[in-house]
Amino acid sequence: MEYTLDLNWPDFIERYWQKRPVVLKRGFKNFIDPISPDELAGLAMENEVDSRLVSHQDGKWQVSHGPFQSYDHLSENNWSLLVQAVNHWHEQSAGLMRPFRALPDWRIDDLMISFSVPGGGVGPHLDQYDVFIIQGVGRRRWRVGEKVPMKQHCPHPDLLQVEPFEGIIDEELEPGDILYIPPGFPHEGYSLENSMNYSVGFRAPSGRELISGFADYVLQRELGSHRYTDPDVPSRQQPADILPEELDKLRGIMLELVNQPEHFNAWFGEFITQSRHELDVAPPEPPYQPDEIYDAIKQGDSLTRLGGLRVLRVADEVYVNGEKIDSPHRPAVEALASHITVNAGILGDALEDPSFLAMLAALVNSGYWYFED
């Protein structure tokens, strides 16, 4: 189904985005869960899917990671099943991400879905990224505290919780309600009855990740071979001293690499389009020939993007899952980034170019786009 979010985006961004948490009552009117608890439990039994069970019994927290063989050992209260990147594996759930494309695609990460029994939750904690938590079937109580320095502790090696906090939000969420939480605000939710929650998370790369990723790019391409030189080496009082101007020159060698747009843009396109979770890639067998792609699209078929596939434009180039798309047909290539589904009208005259068809066939045969049955 198609989800419509009842939200004034300019007003929301001005008042709340990365500023304050807020409950959006009936953000989705007449909300229908895209997935059932049984389907979610089935996904958590798959090897490729990231999942965990979090329980709190007799004052002790327990965490176990999937894939799970059975759920027969679980009690009737105080546990949650959490499954990451469900939008990669479940087409209907992927549709829940689309209303959030009012925000930049590159910032959107994945859809985590949880099923909780009464009392189920993961304890008080805070995240370093923005999240929209959509209430599905059932009711769940959420508390959100003020953004202040907080002590963190680990009741379990896989859980990082915070100390108790005063709530600035304390509400029961019902189907279709949305809780938005910016980074750094402590929060805690627990189910009042069997319930489903859908968390749309956002990427927030750290300086450490950026530097590490760019360093890998530099090494792979054997860039940065320019060495330090000092033909007019300055004198100093002590031979052990490294002078400020020498440090400036060394820093300049490093900054020179970052400040080359052609390299920085190419690296970032590759870096930011790589998924942090497995994709449900299923290359067609037998592979499509370019003329088969042409005939199908011309006859009215559409190509749909694989759930969770990251397709982004950096400057004038489009990147897919860590690779640049090479084609002179800019409008058609940019359409692959802008649209979830493409057809003959969107791709236009590019379909008449054998080189574009060959490139498109390669994407389809990689499992990145597919013809819907």
Side-chain angles (χ1 to χ4, degrees):
M1 67 172 295
E2 187 171 330
Y3 290 96
T4 302
L5 181 56
D6 184 15
L7 180 61
N8 182 327
W9 279 106
D11 178 71
F12 171 81
I13 291 171
E14 180 181 353
R15 297 173 61 189
Y16 299 110
W17 176 252
Q18 297 223 321
K19 304 172 188 72
R20 302 292 297 171
V22 63
V23 172
L24 307 170
K25 297 296 290 184
R26 299 297 186 270
F28 288 106
K29 291 183 171 65
N30 304 313
F31 184 79
I32 297 175
D33 290 77
I35 191 171
S36 70
D38 285 345
E39 289 176 297
L40 188 70
L43 278 178
M45 301 175 87
E46 299 293 335
N47 289 324
E48 299 84 1
V49 179
D50 294 332
S51 60
R52 56 188 172 134
L53 272 168
V54 179
S55 64
H56 187 218
Q57 303 286 352
D58 301 323
K60 295 182 178 180
W61 289 92
Q62 297 292 332
V63 181
S64 54
H65 294 268
F68 299 104
Q69 303 298 318
S70 171
Y71 304 97
D72 295 340
H73 63 288
L74 297 172
S75 65
E76 295 183 358
N77 52 44
N78 297 340
W79 61 265
S80 293
L81 172 67
L82 303 97
V83 184
Q84 290 289 157
V86 178
N87 56 307
H88 294 197
W89 304 94
H90 191 264
E91 186 176 349
Q92 289 77 17
S93 296
L96 197 51
M97 305 285 284
R98 291 170 193 170
F100 295 93
R101 294 189 77 201
L103 294 165
D105 279 354
W106 81 267
R107 290 280 274 114
I108 296 175
D109 196 359
D110 71 337
L111 178 70
M112 190 273 286
I113 302 181
S114 66
F115 170 75
S116 302
V117 297
V122 299
H125 65 285
L126 53 83
D127 300 312
Q128 298 303 328
Y129 51 84
D130 302 87
V131 63
F132 292 86
I133 303 173
I134 305 157
Q135 181 65 45
V137 67
R139 293 178 303 124
R140 191 177 180 99
R141 181 183 174 189
W142 283 96
R143 295 177 60 253
V144 184
E146 190 58 84
K147 185 177 182 178
V148 295
M150 303 195 74
K151 292 181 180 179
Q152 295 186 308
H153 63 98
C154 295
H156 184 280
D158 291 337
L159 291 176
L160 187 61
Q161 296 184 353
V162 296
E163 59 193 359
F165 56 84
E166 291 291 328
I168 57 174
I169 289 177
D170 190 341
E171 289 200 36
E172 290 182 16
L173 266 59
E174 298 179 334
D177 293 345
I178 302 171
L179 171 61
Y180 165 70
I181 309 173
F185 285 81
H187 51 280
E188 177 183 21
Y190 61 88
S191 279
L192 304 174
E193 57 194 23
N194 288 358
S195 66
M196 297 281 283
N197 278 97
Y198 304 83
S199 299
V200 179
F202 287 74
R203 280 196 174 189
S206 67
R208 183 187 303 118
E209 290 176 282
L210 296 174
I211 290 172
S212 174
F214 188 69
D216 289 341
Y217 176 92
V218 169
L219 292 172
Q220 289 166 3
R221 285 157 182 79
E222 298 183 350
L223 303 176
S225 58
H226 173 69
R227 289 184 177 273
Y228 180 87
T229 60
D230 52 359
D232 299 314
V233 58
S235 61
R236 63 209 71 207
Q237 290 184 345
Q238 298 294 335
D241 291 346
I242 301 175
L243 302 182
E245 57 264 37
E246 292 173 317
L247 291 173
D248 288 343
K249 192 171 182 180
L250 289 165
R251 186 165 56 250
I253 291 173
M254 298 178 69
L255 290 175
E256 184 181 3
L257 284 168
V258 177
N259 289 331
Q260 296 179 44
E262 67 275 20
H263 286 306
F264 186 85
N265 293 351
W267 160 71
F268 192 67
E270 295 175 8
F271 170 82
I272 202 63
T273 56
Q274 294 177 33
S275 175
R276 296 191 304 111
H277 300 278
E278 291 277 350
L279 293 167
D280 186 18
V281 176
E285 288 293 342
Y288 283 96
Q289 297 300 314
D291 60 333
E292 294 176 309
I293 300 281
Y294 178 87
D295 291 342
I297 294 177
K298 283 294 188 176
Q299 290 169 12
D301 289 349
S302 299
L303 282 171
T304 298
R305 185 192 302 177
L306 179 69
L309 185 72
R310 298 178 67 79
V311 187
L312 299 168
R313 185 173 68 167
V314 180
D316 292 327
E317 304 293 349
V318 173
Y319 295 82
V320 176
N321 198 32
E323 297 181 5
K324 185 175 77 172
I325 296 181
D326 285 315
S327 174
H329 296 279
R330 306 316 306 165
V333 171
E334 290 170 4
L336 292 173
S338 301
H339 299 274
I340 302 297
T341 300
V342 294
N343 55 31
I346 291 173
L347 296 176
D349 294 340
L351 290 172
E352 307 302 327
D353 183 347
S355 67
F356 178 83
L357 278 175
M359 180 275 295
L360 189 59
L363 293 172
V364 173
N365 291 330
S366 294
Y368 294 162
W369 274 265
Y370 62 91
F371 289 109
E372 294 194 44
D373 295 333

